Amino acid sequence: MRSTILVAGSLNLDFVAGVCRLPEPGQTVTGTSFEMIPGGKGANQACAAGTMARRKAPAEPGDAVRVEMAGCVGRDEAGEMLLRSLAGAGVAAEAVGRVDGVATGAAMINVDASGQNTIVVIPGANARFAPSDVDSLRGRLRECAWLLLQLETPLGTVEALLRAARQEGARTMLDPAPAQPLARGLLSMVDILTPNETEACLLLERAPRRVGLEDAPDLARSLRALGPRAVVLKLGDAGCFYSGPEGEQSAPAFAVRAVDATAAGDTFNAGLAVALSEGLPVAGALRFANASAAVSVTRKGAQTSAPERDDVERLLSTGRI
Ligand code: RIB
């Protein structure tokens, strides 16, 4: 049985300022804290999958979920920090290239007192993750159960990876973040598309708005009509909604005290992939993914908020962190 999760995507060093409130355009505000934290949507998914996968005793010898990361960092201290963070989460990083002459990706993040954030990403080495790198990943794709992708690396590379995954028999989960328009040809190679409400509206060329559970079926069906086999809409504190070959269902969010929403969506995807790789049915996998994201928002930072397996299990069984 295939039991590897391969995450292909971005690695960023996050420069995180705590603020009482997010600045308006043209406004200067005084920060309350500053930290440098390993991040990047791809590496966040890999680290969270790694920490959640490693506590589970395999049902059969050899069934443990293994997590690998592919992408690019620069030859600098930020790149070293990101590789150390992956190693600490038990993620194999042999497919992360070190690129000369370019800095590791960076993100400028402001987090306000309610845990909401704004993020500016400077791609750096992530922009060097090229379609020509995909051939060297074919062997890994042949072994893997799930390929996890996001949109902080070149779109041509995402497309080449989706095509290669299809040819090598790996299932694909695409987080269409940061939001950008996507062609039907690309979307039709996706097994599970996991947009939040902003990304869903942009893909459908609709005006951005808050989406509640009542709007979710129409939105998810419209997205499926663009090509993906299944859609999981991430609805924040309204939980999530699935539409796919297994029917339609929602799963409520867990009520927790949020301190920082950074990487909540990345952690959700990691939880979903871990649960599906372990053979959970859709309902259980959605619940596990919601619990993963809930644990992450109670902690500060991106990879610093990756939950351990025990944290998720405790929330699932007691409803408490
Ligand atoms: O999803 C959160 C991530 O977005 C941050 O870690 C930042 O690096 C940006 O990629």
Side-chain angles (χ1 to χ4, degrees), residues 214-233:
E214 63 287 357
D215 311 305
D218 165 58
L219 214 53
R221 285 172 210 154
S222 303
L223 286 165
R224 277 186 78 200
L226 298 179
R229 195 165 160 269
V231 168
V232 175
L233 276 175

Side-chain angles (χ1 to χ4, degrees), residues 10 12 14 39-41 44 107 109 119 121 152 262-263 266 302:
S10 58
N12 296 330
D14 292 350
K41 294 187 193 306
N44 295 346
I109 304 184
I119 304 182
V121 172
E152 284 184 332
T262 308
D266 308 331

Side-chain angles (χ1 to χ4, degrees), residues 213 235-240 250-256 268 286-287 290-291 293-294 315:
L213 270 180
L235 301 171
D237 52 18
C240 64
S250 60
F254 289 83
V256 293
F268 179 98
L286 296 177
R287 210 168 158 259
N290 276 341
L315 182 58

Side-chain angles (χ1 to χ4, degrees), residues 3-9 42 45-46 49 65-71 91-96 129 134 136-150 161 164-165 170-173 273 277:
S3 54
T4 300
I5 295 171
L6 174 62
V7 184
Q45 292 186 352
V65 172
R66 180 182 141 77
V67 183
E68 290 195 61
M69 170 91 208
V91 177
E94 289 78 16
V96 177
F129 188 35
V134 173
S136 66
L137 297 173
R138 279 188 181 272
R140 290 184 165 86
L141 288 170
R142 223 164 281 143
E143 306 274 295
C144 89
W146 283 96
L147 169 68
L148 269 54
L149 296 162
Q150 332 73 37
L161 279 160
R171 280 170 295 171
T172 57
M173 187 183 299
S277 300

